[in-house]
């Protein structure tokens, strides 16, 4: 399944092999140790090298809760009467659904999914680029899309991608999509990247937004065991990217004023809207995570049957 789709969710694996997500997570960890795949939060991807872009049906099920939280937070950055560009992607599609409530908004997009989400928003004007339809993500690409963005100027660009690193910035695995995303960036005074933590530390072939052009990253806080994602997040903050962490239960901030026409970053210290990894809140009275759990009735015979069951399941996962 991973070879066919490039990525697969733990939920889908559990359904296919007819077992629990907890069991599948343990098996995926073992397969990663053998070099057969790489773990990501909520799923698994092909091992090593550049991350391969999966199709829209697969991406829409990966980290769906995180994408929803990111979209909720990003929508608060948009004020009444603004003009923004919104790129293609499952996270930007979630953002578009929330932008439908912003009066007087103008949204320029190359995404059919973004346009569809805003189609019935009476107070929002939607401007579509030209271009050739790329069916895998329902986006318009090519010279027609790029030329239609020439001479355009908006306050903010909201973009997603396949990978994000502090070294190269935002990237994607498709050359045509990368070219259109770069044109969207050129049209905006500020660039806001929407990326869940599973994309942090992943690198793909074509760079779309270098780190020094990213004004703000809206993401979710990586789990404690995702050290690479946490390190990448800190590195981005150290390079001046403003970090907004979704799901941090902070009071919503007022929409910032539209940036000046010249764009660029403001000087001074990096503003962080939420605590970075390592600044976690302590929950008093909660049991320690990962603490020991007592199990009863597991004698030597039962243990042997459990090991046989695990071997059979692992073999099934390898075949898939």
């Amino acid at each position: 399944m991973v070879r066919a789709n490039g990525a697969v969710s733990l939920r889908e694996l559990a359904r296919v092999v007819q077992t629990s997500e907890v069991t599948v997570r343990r098996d995926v960890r073992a397969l990663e140790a053998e070099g057969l795949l790489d773990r990501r939060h909520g799923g698994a991807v092909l091992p090593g090298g550049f991350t391969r872009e999966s199709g829209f049906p697969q991406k829409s099920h990966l980290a769906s809760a995180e994408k929803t939280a990111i979209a909720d937070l990003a929508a608060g950055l948009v004020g009444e009467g603004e003009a923004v560009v919104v790129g293609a992607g499952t996270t930007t599609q979630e953002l578009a659904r929330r932008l439908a409530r912003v009066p007087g908004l103008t949204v320029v997009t190359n995404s059919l999914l973004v346009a569809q989400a805003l189609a019935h928003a009476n107070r929002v004007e939607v401007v579509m680029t030209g271009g050739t339809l790329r069916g895998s993500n329902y986006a318009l690409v090519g010279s027609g899309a790029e030329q239609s963005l020439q001479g355009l100027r908006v306050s903010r660009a909201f973009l997603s991608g396949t990978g994000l690193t502090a070294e190269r910035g935002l990237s994607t695995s498709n050359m045509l999509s990368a070219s259109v995303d770069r044109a969207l960036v050129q049209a905006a005074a500020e660039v806001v990247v929407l990326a869940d933590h599973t994309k942090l530390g992943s690198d793909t072939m074509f760079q779309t937004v270098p780190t020094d052009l990213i004004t703000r990253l809206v993401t979710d806080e990586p789990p404690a065991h995702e050290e690479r994602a946490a390190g990448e997040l800190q590195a981005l903050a150290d390079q001046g990217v403003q970090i907004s962490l979704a799901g941090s239960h902070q009071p919503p901030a007022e929409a910032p004023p539209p940036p000046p026409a010249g764009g660029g970053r403001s000087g001074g210290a990096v503003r962080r809207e939420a605590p970075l990894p390592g600044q976690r809140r302590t929950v008093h009275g909660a049991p320690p995570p990962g603490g020991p759990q007592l199990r009863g009735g597991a004698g030597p015979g039962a243990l042997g049957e459990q090991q046989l069951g695990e071997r059979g399941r692992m073999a099934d996962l390898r075949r898939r």
Side-chain angles (χ1 to χ4, degrees):
M1 292 178 66
V2 178
R3 290 192 186 98
N5 300 321
V8 66
S9 67
L10 294 180
R11 182 179 303 173
E12 180 66 12
L13 280 175
R15 185 189 65 81
V16 170
V17 300
Q18 298 181 345
T19 187
S20 69
E21 289 189 36
V22 174
T23 302
V24 168
R25 185 177 291 107
R26 184 174 64 245
D27 294 342
V28 166
R29 188 179 296 112
L31 292 174
E32 182 185 41
E34 296 180 22
L36 298 177
L37 49 78
D38 286 341
R39 285 185 299 147
R40 292 290 184 270
H41 178 62
V45 299
L46 290 173
F50 290 124
T51 302
R52 172 185 172 182
E53 182 183 29
S54 54
F56 174 78
Q58 292 77 30
K59 289 193 291 186
S60 62
H61 291 96
L62 287 174
S64 57
E66 289 84 350
K67 292 174 182 177
T68 299
I70 289 168
D72 287 338
L73 184 57
L77 300 174
V78 182
E80 180 177 346
E82 279 196 64
V84 299
V85 295
V86 180
T90 53
T91 311
T92 51
Q93 181 188 21
E94 288 294 329
L95 171 64
R97 294 189 177 112
R98 288 145 182 84
L99 294 182
R101 301 187 289 267
V102 181
L105 182 66
T106 301
V107 176
V108 181
T109 184
N110 69 319
S111 169
L112 298 187
L113 297 176
V114 168
Q116 182 184 40
L118 295 168
H120 300 292
N122 296 328
R123 297 180 295 177
V124 177
E125 181 179 0
V126 180
V127 179
M128 293 288 300
T129 68
T132 303
L133 177 63
R134 183 172 180 243
S136 62
N137 65 344
Y138 303 95
L140 297 173
V141 297
S143 59
E146 296 171 38
Q147 290 173 8
S148 65
L149 293 167
Q150 292 180 359
L152 183 71
R153 194 62 173 171
V154 299
S155 59
R156 293 179 181 87
F158 293 89
L159 298 176
S160 187
T162 310
L164 177 64
T165 65
E167 181 180 1
R168 294 187 68 223
L170 190 67
S171 60
T172 186
S173 58
N174 182 267
M175 180 174 62
L176 294 176
S177 295
S179 295
V180 176
D181 283 353
R182 286 193 286 267
L184 292 172
V185 169
Q186 292 298 318
E190 290 187 359
V191 178
V192 180
V193 171
L194 311 181
D196 64 82
H197 75 267
T198 64
K199 298 178 181 179
L200 297 176
S202 296
D203 201 5
T204 47
M205 188 174 295
F206 300 101
Q207 183 192 57
T208 56
V209 190
T211 305
D212 60 351
L213 292 183
I214 299 175
T215 308
R216 183 187 301 266
L217 167 65
V218 184
T219 185
D220 59 297
E221 185 171 4
H225 62 275
E226 294 281 354
E227 296 181 359
R228 183 176 70 166
E232 206 69 52
L233 189 61
Q234 184 61 59
L236 287 163
D238 291 342
Q239 293 196 35
V241 178
Q242 299 176 33
I243 306 296
S244 297
L245 292 180
S248 60
H249 306 292
Q250 293 196 349
E254 295 182 0
R265 303 186 188 209
S266 58
V270 179
R271 179 186 174 190
R272 298 180 177 120
E273 277 66 22
L276 291 176
Q279 301 172 318
R280 305 178 186 275
R281 297 178 177 85
T282 301
V283 181
H284 298 286
Q293 299 179 359
L294 299 180
R295 299 172 183 253
L303 181 60
E305 293 177 2
Q306 179 183 357
Q307 291 174 339
L308 289 175
E310 290 179 353
R311 291 171 184 167
R313 190 172 59 254
M314 293 286 287
D316 190 22
L317 282 171
R318 289 189 180 93
R319 289 193 297 270
R320 296 178 188 278

